[in-house]
Amino acid sequence: MKNIYDITLENLEKDLLEKGYKKFNASQIYDWLYKKRVKNFDDMLNIKKELIEYLKQNYTFSTIKLIKKQVDIDVCKYLFELEDNNKIEAVYMKHNYGNSLCISTQVGCNMSCTFCESGRLKKVRNLKSHEMVEQIIKIEENLNIRITHLVLMGIGEPFDNYDNVINFIEIINNHKGIELGSRHITISTCGIIPKIKEFMNYDKQVNLAISLHAPNNEIRNKIMPINKAYPIEELLKTIKEYVDKTNRRVTFEYIMLKGVNDSEKHALELAHLLKGINCYVNLIPYNETGHINLEKSSKDKILKFYDILKKNKINVTIRKEFGSKVSAACGQLRSSIEEEE
Ligand code: SAH
């Protein structure tokens, strides 16, 4: 049986038409699911009994369970348990521009970036689309708000779960559903080139962020093993193609790691590398974790780095720091729970 939150409106229409129901029945169901937010088929009051029976026999409902919440100023971190007892996280952040949510796309991660807590647990499995949809629904309910901005920057590598991620975006972007605007959705990847190429041809204006974190292969190879498969020069060549093709600006994320990638020389090298690309750089103060022997750069270093990029005409921002109290860096809540267990 398929989970009802797994299905795009288009596929639901197809399914219902094939079974002799009407196309508009799918819109009615979407309305109950995503506008009125009912939690079982019996509550879909304007749907005929026979169709309700069909839905019950062919589709299941929600499966993920909220098991822990940590609250800090402008940030809430959630831990969910999946049907098979695996755990994932999502983080809500209140920004001046809206309500932003960071969701997970996999259980664990195979990318093995040295600084990242998520990768300490190797990938167990991909999340299904409904498990991504439900992170939004459950948090909107919990906080009684609507999410306005979504980032796929929680646990996992979205481009290692491409089909489910795209199916998920089709579901939440639909105006009859959750209706999250594609320009308000950002996919973050460590740089899986074949999938960036595929994503170039995706017709929705979803934003792309690249976890770059280093100005050269030597450093990137050390902290991001994926760089050995897809080195910086090939990654940037692909990004240039992406920008040319889509006319969209790309974000480069750059974690500031003390003594690793944060010197003035590195800033100049980065400026040189990104020259002429329609992009902006998001400098991320590293969120230190108990398990990993890396430290965040000092404020001075970060500001100096910022200034050098600015002077070299690179658009740059410094990410607002959220919730170090709530272990907001991805993977930290789950990993602290697993240690308690
Ligand atoms: N796999 C994807 C998305 C998940 S990681 C990717 O690599 O982009 C989301 C972002 O959080 C990445 O830029 C990642 O490098 C960053 N990140 C991971 N651990 C962090 C930490 N401890 N502090 C700050 N940022 C971190």
Side-chain angles (χ1 to χ4, degrees):
M1 283 225 276
K2 211 179 165 85
N3 192 293
I4 192 74
Y5 293 121
D6 249 333
I7 191 159
T8 61
L9 182 66
E10 214 184 354
N11 285 339
L12 187 58
E13 284 171 352
K14 253 191 235 154
D15 180 45
L16 295 184
L17 277 172
E18 262 172 35
K19 305 292 174 328
Y21 298 102
K22 298 276 184 300
K23 192 171 163 188
F24 77 86
N25 289 141
S27 299
Q28 290 177 316
I29 293 166
Y30 247 55
D31 191 64
W32 285 111
L33 288 174
Y34 296 114
K35 303 292 189 203
K36 305 197 176 82
R37 303 280 168 107
V38 298
K39 290 288 173 306
N40 64 71
F41 295 115
D42 286 321
D43 288 344
M44 300 184 169
L45 300 176
N46 60 355
I47 311 271
K48 279 195 299 206
K49 271 231 156 62
E50 190 200 330
L51 176 52
I52 299 268
E53 276 317 304
Y54 171 75
L55 293 172
K56 280 184 184 171
Q57 271 158 35
N58 291 278
Y59 292 97
T60 57
F61 244 100
S62 164
T63 52
I64 82 170
K65 239 177 27 206
L66 172 55
I67 57 168
K68 188 163 176 163
K69 176 182 176 186
Q70 283 184 348
V71 183
D72 202 341
I73 301 160
D74 292 341
V75 54
C76 286
K77 181 143 191 171
Y78 292 88
L79 188 72
F80 294 102
E81 190 172 79
L82 309 178
E83 212 171 18
D84 56 6
N85 296 331
N86 278 307
K87 295 178 184 67
I88 52 156
E89 299 173 22
V91 183
Y92 161 79
M93 288 158 286
K94 190 171 167 55
H95 285 280
N96 49 17
Y97 56 77
N99 293 322
S100 165
L101 182 65
C102 172
I103 63 157
S104 295
T105 56
Q106 294 180 317
V107 178
C109 182
N110 273 348
M111 300 302 131
S112 305
C113 301
T114 56
F115 47 81
C116 180
E117 191 78 19
S118 301
R120 296 200 320 130
L121 175 71
K122 289 290 143 250
K123 179 172 98 175
V124 176
R125 67 171 175 87
N126 286 329
L127 291 193
K128 297 186 205 120
S129 305
H130 75 85
E131 292 167 321
M132 297 181 236
V133 173
E134 286 176 70
Q135 293 175 62
I136 304 177
I137 289 183
K138 291 258 149 75
I139 289 171
E140 289 193 334
E141 261 166 32
N142 184 269
L143 295 172
N144 199 19
I145 51 153
R146 284 286 178 261
I147 295 299
T148 59
H149 293 72
L150 184 76
V151 295
L152 277 61
M153 289 189 190
I155 299 170
E157 167 50 50
F159 280 177
D160 187 34
N161 184 14
Y162 190 84
D163 293 347
N164 288 340
V165 163
I166 296 295
N167 188 62
F168 158 71
I169 289 172
E170 291 292 314
I171 294 168
I172 59 165
N173 179 241
N174 195 293
H175 71 279
K176 291 183 175 163
I178 292 178
E179 205 179 357
L180 250 167
S182 50
R183 286 160 199 259
H184 286 190
I185 302 172
T186 302
I187 300 186
S188 178
T189 175
C190 62
I192 300 183
I193 291 178
K195 292 298 165 187
I196 299 174
K197 292 197 168 169
E198 207 172 326
F199 186 65
M200 268 181 223
N201 296 312
Y202 184 49
D203 60 1
K204 294 209 152 79
Q205 305 258 311
V206 173
N207 304 306
L208 181 65
I210 305 288
S211 293
L212 189 62
H213 305 327
N216 59 48
N217 284 322
E218 195 193 336
I219 300 177
R220 203 164 189 264
N221 280 340
K222 280 193 199 137
I223 59 177
M224 299 181 71
I226 190 72
N227 196 65
K228 292 174 191 152
Y230 305 119
I232 287 191
E233 57 284 358
E234 281 174 38
L235 179 58
L236 290 184
K237 192 169 149 241
T238 310
I239 294 304
K240 282 179 196 156
E241 274 171 47
Y242 170 89
V243 172
D244 282 349
K245 174 129 209 237
T246 61
N247 252 324
R248 274 180 255 153
R249 193 158 79 160
V250 164
T251 303
F252 289 103
E253 293 155 277
Y254 194 100
I255 297 183
M256 298 292 294
L257 296 163
K258 188 176 178 177
V260 175
N261 62 0
D262 64 347
S263 73
E264 293 177 26
K265 188 174 144 272
H266 296 144
L268 277 171
E269 210 178 346
L270 183 65
H272 183 70
L273 192 69
L274 301 183
K275 206 171 157 195
I277 301 180
N278 182 15
C279 68
Y280 85 89
V281 174
N282 197 199
L283 296 177
I284 308 173
Y286 181 57
N287 207 329
E288 292 177 8
T289 86
H291 306 108
I292 296 167
N293 203 8
L294 284 166
E295 289 169 69
K296 78 157 93 167
S297 308
S298 68
K299 275 217 168 77
D300 279 1
K301 277 263 176 191
I302 298 177
L303 286 173
K304 186 86 209 159
F305 204 96
Y306 172 91
D307 282 342
I308 293 172
L309 291 182
K310 266 256 136 101
K311 275 202 195 97
N312 284 276
K313 309 228 165 16
I314 304 285
N315 301 308
V316 55
T317 51
I318 300 176
R319 182 179 289 174
K320 178 178 167 188
E321 281 185 87
F322 273 110
S324 46
K325 269 197 229 132
V326 301
S327 44
C330 56
Q332 290 184 9
L333 186 60
R334 194 215 59 228
S335 114
S336 70
I337 282 272
E338 299 218 316
E339 252 138 55
E340 278 169 28
E341 278 175 352

